[in-house]
Structures are given as structure tokens and as C-alpha cells.
Amino acid sequence: MRGLRCVLMTVLLAVCGLASAPALAESLNGSSQHLMMKLVAESDHPKAGAPLTIALATTPETGWHGYWRNPGDAGFPATFDWTLPTGAKAGEPEWPVPTTLLIAGLMNYVYEAPYAPLVTIQVPAGLAPGTKFPIRLKTSYLVCSATICVPEEKALSLDLTIGDGAPSQAAAFAGWRQAIPKPLDAGATYAASNGTMRIAVPFPASAKIDKAYFFPITTGAIENGAAQTVTRDGDRLTITTKVAANAKTGGPIEGVLRLGDGQGLGVKATPGTVAEAAGGDATSTSGESLWLTALIAFAGAVLGGLILNIMPCVFPILSLKALSLARGGASEKDARGEALAYTAGVVLVCLGLGGAILALRAGGSAVGWAFQLQHPGAIVALLLLSTAIAFNLAGLFEVPTPRFAGESGASGAFATGALAAFIATPCTGPFMGAALGAALVLPWPAALAVFGGLGIGLSLPFLAIGFIPAWRRWLPKPGAWMETFRHILSVPMFLTAIALGWVLGRQAGVDTLTLALVAVLAVGAVLWIGGSRQRKGKSFGIVAQVLLLVVFVGSAVLISRAPAVAAKTATAGDEAFTEAKLASLRAENRPVFVYFTADWCLTCKVNEKAAIDTTGVRDAFAKHKVAALIGDWTDGDPAMGRFIQAHNRAGVPLYLYYAPGAAEPTVLPQVLTPGLLEGLGA
């Protein structure tokens, strides 16, 4: 399920990350300055035999972030290599409370604002005042933006002199210490059962808490990206979340409980009994970015739905409905009523589809928006419906069912809205994929709000026409031209039907497509007969309506049961990248896709889950004989680093496509889509 949830990262990268276009690192050897660091001593004259606190004052460049001691689902923590005078010893770093960065269901624990880990150095006794006390630090760390991750190194130095130990940076250290979690002086307990983890933390009922969140130090105990519910019951806080897959419980679990911005408690929980909360106050959170993600997704869904109105599958229906207001001369009240009814039809269908997606995913199915289009029968139903609407617009027939697109009345407007939303499912537009991908990793109320936002965006033009009289006055006057315009609108509907036929042929093969075309001809014949009767003043006829129903249902059932085109081809693991292997494959005149990745690169992992390692892409690679090479840069291989640098990149991800015979590779975008990769080699 986590792999499926990774769609959110493609989302936020597309909606947020690419908008900022952060600068790339200057080189691969750590000379860039994405994290500004300096060593600061609490006392410039440390006292011999006493502890000395050193702060690693760090300021991330705008748009970049560093990682906590447990980086979460991606990234790696910083390493510290101290060089100290003889007898001096550095302790473990004390880390300030981090923030969460939730993208596509992958939770990362990061710092996006200035922060300072604190390290205590024990100064050896016996050093005379005035003795030089040099401190040297070599640190390796990862720094990431929304689109790229770069491992860096820094060599820092600090020259002190032994003295009286008087503080010289008291104010700064007071602030830095406030961000260090305070140790909990009472024991916490946890219990794991049925995939749920509950951690009970003693906490005074009178103490304030805000944005409560549990950051695990012990890895592999809880699902980092899962939502957390923090329930307060008297002098106890209970954190409820999901147990990590393959978690080994039984030992202690350490972590940090955030109490507010920059404040936290160090918690060590041991196995025990955790009673259910007795109805205390509860706050559900998966990090402060959760609701920001929901708002971004909602805005993207509204904008995506708005853009859908110009798609060929929606525009004809919207146009006819808008012109019906001009033709009917509706009153203000009636116009607003129709606008609201149309909106209700659109939103309810979007909510229904969204609810079905969430229910299926909760049951373990891997589905997303337009999930029904994964089934040939659903495509056939849409194909026949699109064809029927196109024939209707072209003037082949006149029957009440499709004609409501041009009729007045609240019921007709509601049905038209529902039809517009349903027929829009094969169409996609900008922002839609990102927003709806985000919805699939949000809590269900927020997810449904995003689906509802899509419906609101889709209905906005007609809503505006209904509520703004001036807009209706801009509509052209009714006349004979409307019939011609209606015929013109049949063209995009026919194009929609052709596109659906193409999808069906790709999905189920030529035989199935042929069967669907026979069904289209049957529908056309029935509609033509019915249209002829209509022109003679007769009713469409119950027999014709039954025939239509039989053709629709029968075709969908038959095609759903049609055999698959071919058995799926098993995909072997990608070969490891070497320049020699690449040269060998190019000498064979084969198309080659090379992707450079690393275990700590969040963008890389999302692209792999959401695009590279999908069945469609792998089938396309096999079909077009595209060789795939993976360059794993997790360990910072210098030869691979030079190869990456030669392609004007400071880090991973890097995606290259070598077409047969091409002198230079094509550098692909850092945010991949399955469609982009499926087209390689074609």
C-alpha cells in the first residue's frame, strides 16, 4: 500500500516543487552551500576538566532541508568525525525537535529552518590556562530540495583557549537548548496488536500541548507515514498509529513526543498494557503538512476540474446546457436552481467515484482515479455512451434520455451534471493527477473533499452562468445557428469515442475492439430507427429502448469476459549500470534507459514506485526491447559521480534515454510518469 500511496509525492513535486525550481548543487564533492554550518562554543575559554557544549549551528538554504537522527522513509542522518586534543572526548549529538515532511505517504523527519544539534565535549583535566584547544569536525550529510538530493561534506574548525569557562554565547545556547527534547521522568508503555500501535505517555492534565506528534528514534517499530491519533485522558497521552510491516516488538521503543513548535519530550516506552482511552480529547495528525497537503490538493482539484470543461468529452455537454438557458429565457430563480442542480449532479458523481475508490483501496485493491477504466467492460459502456451522445448531437435521433443536455429544469440539470462528471472520467487535465493522487493518501474526509473539489471545479462555469446575469446576457441569442453549432459539437464527442476505442484496443486487443465496434454499429442502427420514428411524430418505442439496454449491458459483459491479449511478461531485475555495459548495449543498437538512484533519495523512490516499476512500463520496455540499467549511487561511488556530473547534474535522480544511433542521450524530467516511459523505444 505504501508504494501505491507514493503517488502523492509525484503530486507535490508537480504542484509545489517544480514551481520553486531550486538551484542545483555546484558540484558533487560537497562544495555547495545548501546547509550553512558553523561550530559555536558555549564558552570561548573552556575550563579544564569541565564539559563544554558545542553547537553545530545550521541554516538550510531556502527550499532545502536537512535530516534528523532518524531521517524517516528516505534520507540518511549526518555523521560526525571529530578530531580533538589528546584526552578530550565528544559525546553523542543532541538533536532538536524536527518537523515532518509527508510526501506521497513517505514520512521524512527534517529541518527546513535554522537548527543546531548540541554536542558535549569533555575537556581533559590538567590543562593550564592559555593552552590552545583546537576542535576539528568533518561531517557528512544529505541535503534535499523538492526535486533533488545531494550528499555533502564539510570540514569545520574552532580554535579555543583554556580559561575560566565563562559563557560567551549564553543567549544563543538558551534558545538552542529549548529545542532539545527534555527527558521524560516517568516510564511510558506501549502495546501492539492487530496492526495497531498504542503508546501511553504520562503527561500532566494541566500541561499544554499543541501539534502533538511522536517521532520514532527506534526504527522499524511504527509506520512512519501513517496517521497518528493523540488522545488525552487525564494525566495520560495515548498515541495510536500503525505498526510497521514486519515490526519486531518486545524491546523498548524510543522517540520524541512533540509538545509544540520546537518543544518535545524524550520518551522511552517498554511493552505493557495500554488501556483504551476513555473519551478524552483527540487530535488526529500525520504531521503539520497533512492539512496543508489537503488544501493544496483541494485547490489543484478545483483547478483541474475547471480545466476539464474544455476537454472534448465535457465541452459539448456544458455548451448545450449553457445555451439552453439562453434559449429558454429562464428567470433568475430558475437559472440559479438549474445551476445548483447541475452542480449537485457533478459533485455527487465525483464523490461517488471517490468513495468507491477509497472503499476499494481500503479493501486492498490498487485503484486510483478512473479505476473503472481498468476494466474493458467499463470502457465499452463509456464508448457506447459517447457514441450515442455524438449521434444525438449530429442529429441522427431525438430521444428523451440524452436530450436532457439541452432541456431546462432542475431534474434535467442534475442529470446533465451527473452525465458530464461520468463522461469526464476518461479525460484528464493539468493539476488533476497531482491533486487526486494526493487524495489517495489523505484521511478519508479530506480525500472526499478533494474529490468534491474536482466536482466544484467542473461545475464552476455553469454555476457562474446561473448566478451572474451578465454572463447569461453575453450568450448569443437563440436561432438557427444553434442547430449547426450542435452538429459541430458532435465532433469532439466522436473524437472522445475514438479515443476510448483506442484505449480499448490497447487494453484488450483487436478482437475485443472489433466486438465493441459491432456494438457501436448496433447502437447506431437502433438510434437511427428511433430517430426516424421521432421525425415522423412517433415515440421512440419501448422495443428500441430495450434493445439499447441489451446492447449496452450485453457488450459490457461479453467484453469483460473476453480473453486477455497475452500473458504478462515477467520482468527480470534491471542490470547494474557500468559504462562498459552501456557501451555494449549501444553497440547492439538497442534503446537504453538508465536511471541513477539512491536509497536515501526520496524523489528517486517515488519515481520508481509510481512510474518505473509499474506493469505498464515494464511491459512496454519488454515490447520495445528497451534495456534498463540502474545506477545505485547510495554509497557515493566516485566513478558514477563523475558520470552524473558529466551530464550537468549535481546529484540524483538522473534519467537518461539512449535512442539507437543517437550521439547523445535525452535527459528526461526528474518527475516521471508511466506514459512518458511507456513511449520510450516506440
Side-chain angles (χ1 to χ4, degrees):
M1 290 297 292
R2 181 188 297 180
L4 297 174
R5 295 200 313 267
C6 288
V7 174
L8 176 37
M9 167 89 180
T10 306
V11 155
L12 291 182
L13 291 179
V15 174
C16 304
L18 295 180
S20 62
L24 298 179
E26 295 173 358
S27 70
L28 296 176
N29 61 8
S31 64
S32 60
Q33 298 295 314
H34 298 308
L35 290 186
M36 297 299 212
M37 294 182 178
K38 65 176 180 178
L39 294 178
V40 181
E42 189 169 15
S43 172
D44 292 336
H45 303 283
K47 185 177 182 179
L52 169 68
T53 302
I54 299 291
L56 184 59
T58 308
T59 302
E61 183 181 344
T62 302
W64 294 76
H65 57 263
Y67 286 86
W68 188 47
R69 58 183 296 181
N70 173 14
D73 289 327
F76 63 72
T79 61
F80 301 89
D81 184 12
W82 296 92
T83 300
L84 303 171
T86 303
K89 184 178 181 181
E92 291 296 322
E94 295 178 274
W95 292 86
V97 179
T99 59
T100 54
L101 179 62
L102 178 65
I103 302 179
L106 299 181
M107 177 63 76
N108 296 266
Y109 306 129
V110 302
Y111 300 101
E112 297 174 288
Y115 64 100
L118 302 182
V119 177
T120 299
I121 295 177
Q122 183 61 45
V123 180
L127 296 178
T131 302
K132 299 296 182 181
F133 193 81
I135 297 173
R136 304 289 182 265
L137 171 64
K138 182 180 179 181
T139 178
S140 301
Y141 56 92
L142 181 70
V143 58
C144 294
S145 71
T147 57
I148 192 169
C149 290
V150 182
E152 295 182 353
E153 292 184 351
K154 274 191 172 58
L156 304 172
S157 62
L158 190 63
D159 294 310
L160 306 176
T161 304
I162 297 298
D164 59 4
S168 51
Q169 300 283 344
F173 274 82
W176 288 330
R177 283 196 171 97
Q178 281 292 324
I180 302 299
K182 308 303 183 289
L184 181 66
D185 56 4
T189 57
Y190 76 88
S193 62
N194 300 322
T196 299
M197 173 73 73
R198 295 197 308 278
I199 305 172
V201 180
F203 192 76
S206 58
K208 294 182 179 180
I209 190 168
D210 182 42
K211 299 180 181 178
Y213 189 88
F214 182 79
F215 297 89
I217 295 174
T218 303
T219 59
I222 67 172
E223 189 76 27
N224 293 329
Q228 296 184 8
T229 299
V230 181
T231 305
R232 190 163 191 167
D233 184 14
D235 292 329
R236 183 186 70 168
L237 292 175
T238 302
I239 302 106
T240 304
T241 187
K242 293 176 66 175
V243 176
N246 303 317
K248 295 181 179 179
T249 56
I253 295 178
E254 293 188 63
V256 169
L257 176 63
R258 180 174 60 196
L259 306 178
D261 289 333
Q263 296 182 332
L265 283 177
V267 174
K268 183 175 182 179
T270 56
T273 301
V274 179
E276 294 284 349
D281 296 330
T283 302
S284 178
T285 176
S286 58
E288 66 266 1
S289 64
L290 176 63
W291 294 110
L292 176 60
T293 299
L295 288 174
I296 293 173
F298 179 82
V302 172
L303 187 55
L306 181 62
I307 295 174
L308 267 186
N309 284 282
I310 63 174
M311 298 297 174
C313 48
V314 179
F315 181 72
I317 299 174
L318 172 66
S319 299
L320 281 183
K321 196 60 195 169
L323 290 176
S324 73
L325 287 181
R327 181 173 56 198
S331 65
E332 288 296 314
K333 179 180 179 182
D334 290 341
R336 293 175 181 177
E338 287 197 36
L340 291 174
Y342 180 90
T343 302
V346 173
V347 172
L348 285 177
V349 168
C350 290
L351 289 176
L353 288 171
I357 291 171
L358 298 177
L360 289 171
R361 289 174 66 88
S365 298
V367 298
W369 177 250
F371 67 94
Q372 67 274 25
L373 300 182
Q374 298 174 354
H375 305 282
I379 297 179
V380 170
L382 278 171
L383 171 61
L384 296 178
L385 182 60
S386 301
T387 304
I389 295 173
F391 283 150
N392 176 244
L393 294 173
L396 181 65
F397 71 100
E398 291 290 341
V399 294
T401 304
R403 196 172 59 191
F404 57 60
E407 292 182 343
S408 301
S411 60
F414 179 88
T416 304
L419 174 66
F422 182 70
I423 205 71
T425 54
C427 296
T428 57
F431 305 103
M432 259 189 67
L436 299 184
L440 300 183
V441 302
L442 292 169
W444 71 264
L448 285 180
V450 173
F451 285 108
L454 177 66
I456 292 172
L458 186 58
S459 61
L460 270 179
F462 191 71
L463 198 62
I465 291 171
F467 276 80
I468 304 176
W471 285 35
R472 294 199 300 280
R473 289 194 291 269
W474 292 342
L475 295 174
K477 300 296 182 181
W481 67 268
M482 293 182 66
E483 192 66 20
T484 302
F485 182 63
R486 175 178 165 178
H487 293 165
I488 294 173
L489 290 177
S490 69
V491 175
M493 290 309 301
F494 277 123
L495 292 176
T496 299
I498 292 171
L500 287 167
W502 179 83
V503 171
L504 181 64
R506 295 273 294 179
Q507 185 181 79
V510 176
D511 293 343
T512 303
L513 177 58
T514 302
L515 180 59
L517 292 177
V518 171
V520 168
L521 290 174
V523 168
V526 173
L527 295 177
W528 177 72
I529 294 171
S532 299
R533 291 177 60 86
Q534 288 285 105
R535 283 188 288 271
K536 295 177 182 178
K538 300 178 182 180
S539 64
F540 187 76
I542 188 66
V543 174
Q545 296 183 45
V546 171
L547 283 175
L548 276 178
L549 181 62
V550 169
V551 172
F552 268 78
V553 177
S555 301
V557 171
L558 287 175
I559 291 176
S560 294
R561 296 179 179 178
V565 178
K568 296 294 184 183
T569 303
T571 303
D574 296 332
E575 294 187 71
F577 166 82
T578 64
E579 294 189 51
K581 182 62 179 177
L582 174 61
S584 174
L585 289 169
R586 297 195 67 195
E588 297 174 9
N589 208 34
R590 287 188 62 184
V592 184
F593 171 64
V594 186
Y595 62 105
F596 294 92
T597 182
D599 290 342
W600 35 259
C601 176
L602 179 61
T603 307
C604 306
K605 295 307 174 186
V606 169
N607 280 330
E608 288 159 29
K609 292 291 186 182
I612 298 174
D613 291 330
T614 60
T615 302
V617 169
R618 293 303 179 173
D619 287 349
F621 279 11
K623 178 181 179 181
H624 303 306
K625 301 187 183 303
V626 177
L629 300 180
I630 176 173
D632 189 343
W633 202 42
T634 300
D635 297 329
D637 175 51
M640 195 175 297
R642 288 191 293 270
F643 188 90
I644 294 171
Q645 189 176 27
H647 291 82
N648 299 317
R649 290 294 171 88
V652 292
L654 173 63
Y655 305 109
L656 304 174
Y657 173 64
Y658 293 84
E664 296 294 332
T666 300
V667 180
L668 302 179
Q670 289 180 307
V671 178
L672 299 178
T673 64
L676 172 66
L677 297 182
E678 288 171 7
L680 298 182

